[in-house]
Amino acid sequence: MQILMLKGSSQYDVLRFFVDEVGHGFRKLGFDVNTVDLISDDWKPKLTAAMKSGIDVVISFNGMGLGLQTDQGDLLFEALKAQCISIFVDHPCYHYSRIITAPSNTIFTFIDKSHVDFCRQYFNDKNYVFYFLPHAGSKINLAEHPELSATMINDSYEKASVMFSGSCKEASVDSVGEQYASSLLKSLFYNVYDEMTGSTTKSFYDAVGDVMKDKGLHIASTERLVLIVNQIFAGINQVRCAENRQRLLGAAESTGINVDIYGPATWTAYCDDKKFLNYRGQKNYQEILGLYQQYQFVLNDNNDFYNGSHERHFDALVNFSCPVSPINEYYQGGQHGSGIGLFFDRNNPLEVIGELSNTEALYEQFKQGLESTEGDFKFMHSWQSRVVELVNLIGLFGQTKR
């Protein structure tokens, strides 16, 4: 059984790292795995070589590479009769064109159950499979990565207290709303924003559906509907992400909790007049994983996922750092051990963030609970565990070439 992993570009190299993790997981199960980097200069001859050796399954993230065509204009992997799998870490609105142009027998997985619901509603005329596959956590051995030594906080390797990693978002609802020239888009934007602001559990697309129903709006064309919704989603996501992060970090600042922030240099201006928020520079994904091993708590705004997870939550867990995440339906359900951590109300994080003033006692309590289930827990949150789910999903057990 030949598996082809497709690697492309991504912010902080995070998806490239995930491709390697998933490929390693398949190799551990005995599968033959080839990886082709689509942004390398020699990707075409490498893909040709992989095709000559045979391709049974193609795996990528966010639909990258699935639309490759033959010289005759046919979909390459459909012509090769390969089973395609794409693991999405964003809302499908962002990748609508990649989804509708993918081979007909593609399996799409999503990290939020509401994303699966969206696809089942608006792509039901396709022969696709939509499946919920949560994020996973990654850990690196710093001793094997001397190039990451600069990420070490001190030689004693003692855990510091609280960190946050991510981009700095600066956007207000009015500044974004005024960018919509269309009165329909502007009205939908503000109404959807209000609908989501009034709830801590309503996902973006549920809010869109409620607003359109209240307004008596119906758009017959799925493609047109998704195009409109995508434009609203981009604006809503920009504002909500800015508000969620500023609310979370503002709670730390107001309660005197020191937080080390890692991300783009745009954080400098935001932290300039803050007493307890310390900007520490931008790091790539591997460096961030190294840092997770040195902090007791990792703040996570969860990117407005309401029935799913973000990798920061699981990365923290497998590195024995306590994730501090907004409560949602997925975490409450405790699936995949997701209920472990410290959870706050997305619209009111102040009370829970204030508890971090007692870091030593709080972290010790978290650590003891984690150590009691360490063996099962590490597998449960690993990419190896997610690969087993993928293998079961496409029925590959017993077909490995050993």
Side-chain angles (χ1 to χ4, degrees):
M1 181 64 64
Q2 301 287 335
I3 294 178
L4 172 66
M5 302 291 305
L6 296 178
K7 185 183 286 190
S9 60
S10 73
Q11 194 175 26
Y12 311 123
D13 292 335
V14 62
L15 296 186
R16 296 173 64 79
F17 189 90
F18 290 167
V19 168
D20 292 339
E21 290 275 85
V22 172
H24 179 66
F26 275 106
R27 289 187 185 95
K28 285 187 69 174
L29 293 177
F31 293 94
D32 290 333
V33 179
N34 274 322
T35 300
V36 172
D37 188 346
L38 297 176
I39 62 174
S40 67
D41 293 335
D42 60 349
W43 72 269
K44 288 185 178 180
K46 285 189 174 180
L47 178 58
T48 300
M51 290 165 57
K52 287 181 179 177
S53 63
I55 299 173
D56 299 297
V57 180
V58 181
I59 300 176
S60 73
F61 277 79
N62 283 352
M64 284 187 281
L66 296 190
L68 289 173
Q69 297 181 347
T70 66
D71 292 338
Q72 292 73 38
D74 300 318
L75 286 172
L76 174 63
F77 299 118
E78 194 161 274
L80 292 174
K81 294 181 170 53
Q83 174 68 67
C84 295
I85 303 173
S86 198
I87 303 167
F88 279 77
V89 298
D90 300 317
H91 193 284
C93 269
Y94 277 135
H95 306 288
Y96 177 78
S97 61
R98 288 181 178 176
I99 294 174
I100 63 172
T101 58
S104 58
N105 68 334
T106 302
I107 297 172
F108 295 101
T109 75
F110 296 93
I111 58 173
D112 190 296
K113 293 181 180 180
S114 70
H115 299 177
V116 176
D117 294 339
F118 172 91
C119 286
R120 286 176 177 166
Q121 181 175 358
Y122 290 101
F123 300 104
N124 58 7
D125 60 330
K126 299 285 188 178
N127 189 34
Y128 296 149
V129 173
F130 302 110
Y131 184 78
F132 172 66
L133 186 76
H135 258 305
S138 302
K139 185 173 184 176
I140 60 173
N141 186 342
L142 285 176
E144 297 175 0
H145 291 272
E147 75 278 7
L148 302 182
S149 60
T151 67
M152 298 296 288
I153 294 172
N154 55 51
D155 294 334
S156 63
Y157 202 65
E158 294 177 355
K159 278 185 175 285
S161 294
V162 187
M163 70 168 282
F164 173 87
S165 64
S167 301
C168 179
K169 304 291 184 179
E170 292 283 354
S172 69
V173 63
D174 288 331
S175 66
V176 174
E178 290 306 311
Q179 295 175 14
Y180 292 101
S182 162
S183 57
L184 172 62
L185 287 177
K186 184 177 293 188
S187 175
L188 283 175
F189 169 80
Y190 280 112
N191 280 280
V192 170
Y193 171 82
D194 290 340
E195 191 79 16
M196 294 185 70
T197 301
S199 170
T200 59
T201 59
K202 185 169 290 188
S203 70
F204 166 76
Y205 210 78
D206 287 340
V208 170
D210 289 345
V211 167
M212 293 183 69
K213 184 178 179 180
D214 289 344
K215 301 291 183 184
L217 293 171
H218 175 72
I219 301 173
S221 165
T222 296
E223 188 171 355
R224 176 64 178 160
L225 173 63
V226 174
L227 179 63
I228 290 173
V229 170
N230 194 25
Q231 293 179 70
I232 302 168
F233 180 80
I236 292 288
N237 192 51
Q238 185 181 4
V239 175
R240 293 282 296 176
C241 190
E243 291 181 343
N244 289 339
R245 293 184 179 185
Q246 290 176 17
R247 191 182 298 117
L248 177 60
L249 294 170
E253 173 70 13
S254 66
T255 53
I257 306 299
N258 278 293
V259 179
D260 288 344
I261 296 176
Y262 297 90
T266 43
W267 279 114
T268 304
Y270 179 81
C271 296
D272 213 26
D273 60 347
K274 308 295 191 300
K275 183 177 180 181
F276 300 103
L277 304 182
N278 316 297
Y279 176 58
R280 301 298 190 191
Q282 183 166 348
K283 306 292 182 182
N284 64 31
Y285 186 61
Q286 285 194 334
E287 291 171 329
I288 290 294
L289 291 178
L291 287 164
Y292 276 15
Q293 297 177 33
Q294 300 167 71
Y295 283 86
Q296 295 171 320
F297 298 91
V298 174
L299 302 186
N300 168 35
D301 69 321
N302 217 52
N303 278 28
D304 251 5
F305 297 145
Y306 285 87
N307 200 354
S309 66
H310 194 280
E311 78 266 8
R312 282 190 284 267
H313 185 86
F314 291 127
D315 283 340
L317 288 173
V318 301
N319 287 287
F320 264 62
S321 185
C322 179
V324 186
S325 302
I327 191 65
N328 67 19
E329 191 173 348
Y330 172 65
Y331 293 134
Q332 283 178 315
Q335 299 150 305
H336 304 89
S338 60
I340 302 173
L342 197 61
F343 298 95
F344 59 87
D345 181 323
R346 187 185 299 272
N347 290 336
N348 184 25
L350 194 62
E351 182 178 352
V352 171
I353 297 301
E355 295 180 24
L356 296 178
S357 59
N358 190 18
T359 53
E360 293 303 323
L362 199 61
Y363 179 72
E364 192 59 34
Q365 181 181 352
F366 161 79
K367 187 178 177 183
Q368 287 176 3
L370 207 54
E371 287 173 341
S372 65
T373 58
E374 181 178 355
D376 292 339
F377 181 86
K378 282 185 175 180
F379 175 75
M380 186 185 301
H381 293 293
S382 67
W383 280 108
Q384 186 69 50
S385 172
R386 306 301 185 250
V387 167
V388 169
E389 285 194 64
L390 291 174
V391 168
N392 288 330
L393 182 62
I394 54 181
L396 289 180
F397 268 134
Q399 300 183 45
T400 58
K401 182 180 178 181
R402 299 183 185 277

